[in-house]
C-alpha cells in the first residue's frame, strides 16, 4: 500500500520513533521505513530531503537510532524511569553525531549534522534539550504505541491522531453502548 508518512509526534525524534506502526501488537507491527523508498518518503515529509539514497548501512543506523530513542522515550511517555543501560545506548548515539557536527553559528547556536543519520541523532538530543518531556505521551490505543508531545493547553490529548485512533475508539464505544443496549 502507498505509504503516506504521518508526522503527529510534535518533534522530529518522536516522529522517527513513530515509523513503526502497531508497535504494541507484534502480529500487526510494521516497520514503515524498512523499505528504502518509504524511508526517502519519510525523510522528505520530515523536511530532511531526499538528498541522496541512503545505503543499507545508513538505513540500519537510522533503525538503530530509532530503537535506542524508543527504549528511553516509551518509559518516559508512560511515567516510568528508563533503564540505565538504555540511557547509555542512547547517549552513545547522540555522542556519535555531536562529535562529527560543526557549529555553524554561535548565536543563535546552530549545529550542522554531518549526515542525515546524524541529523536524526541530533534531533534526539534536541528533544531532551528543548522539550518538556513531562508532556510526552503514548497513544491511548491498546496496540498503536505511537508517542507524541502533548502541546494542548490542559494536557488532555489522548490519541496520536483523533482522526485515526481517536475515531476508532469512539466507534468502539458507540458499538459497545449499542450492544449493551440491545442485550439489556
Ligand atoms: Zn494511535
Amino acid at each position: 500500500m502507498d505509504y503516506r508518512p504521518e508526522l503527529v509526534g510534535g518533534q522530529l525524534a518522536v516522529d522517527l520513533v513513530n515509523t513503526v506502526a502497531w508497535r504494541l501488537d507484534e502480529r500487526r507491527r510494521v516497520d514503515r521505513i524498512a523499505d528504502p523508498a518509504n524511508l526517502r518518503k519519510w525523510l522528505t515529509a520530515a523536511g530532511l530531503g531526499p538528498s541522496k539514497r541512503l545505503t543499507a548501512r545508513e538505513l540500519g543506523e537510522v533503525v538503530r537510532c530509532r530503537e535506542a530513542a524508543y527504549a528511553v522515550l516509551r518509559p518516559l511517555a508512560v511515567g516510568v524511569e528508563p533503564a540505565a543501560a538504555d540511557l547509555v545506548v542512547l547517549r552513545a548515539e547522540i555522542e556519535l553525531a555531536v562529535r562529527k557536527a560543526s557549529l555553524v553559528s554561535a548565536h543563535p547556536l546552530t549545529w550542522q549534522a554531518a549526515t542525515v543519520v546524524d541529523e536524526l541523532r541530533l534531533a534526539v538530543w534536541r528533544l531532551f534539550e528543548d522539550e518538556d518531556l513531562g508532556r510526552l505521551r503514548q497513544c491511548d490505543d491498546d496496540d498503536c504505541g505511537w508517542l507524541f508531545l502533548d502541546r494542548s493547553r490542559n494536557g488532555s490529548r489522548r490519541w496520536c491522531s483523533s482522526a485515526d485512533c481517536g475515531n476508532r475508539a469512539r466507534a468502539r464505544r458507540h458499538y459497545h453502548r449499542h450492544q449493551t443496549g440491545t442485550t439489556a
Side-chain angles (χ1 to χ4, degrees), residues 2 9 16 18 28 40 52 55 67-69 86 91-92 107 125 127 129 142 152 155 161 183:
D2 207 26
L16 173 65
N18 290 346
R28 276 200 291 175
R40 276 202 302 281
K52 64 182 176 73
T55 63
E67 296 311 303
D86 290 331
R91 193 178 67 194
H107 182 70
W125 174 32
L127 175 64
E129 178 120 307
D142 287 341
S152 68
S161 153
T183 51

Side-chain angles (χ1 to χ4, degrees), residues 12-13 49 51 67 89 95-96 103 119 129 175:
L12 180 57
S51 46
E67 296 311 303
V89 171
E95 280 178 348
L96 264 179
L103 195 57
E119 190 62 56
E129 178 120 307
Y175 173 79

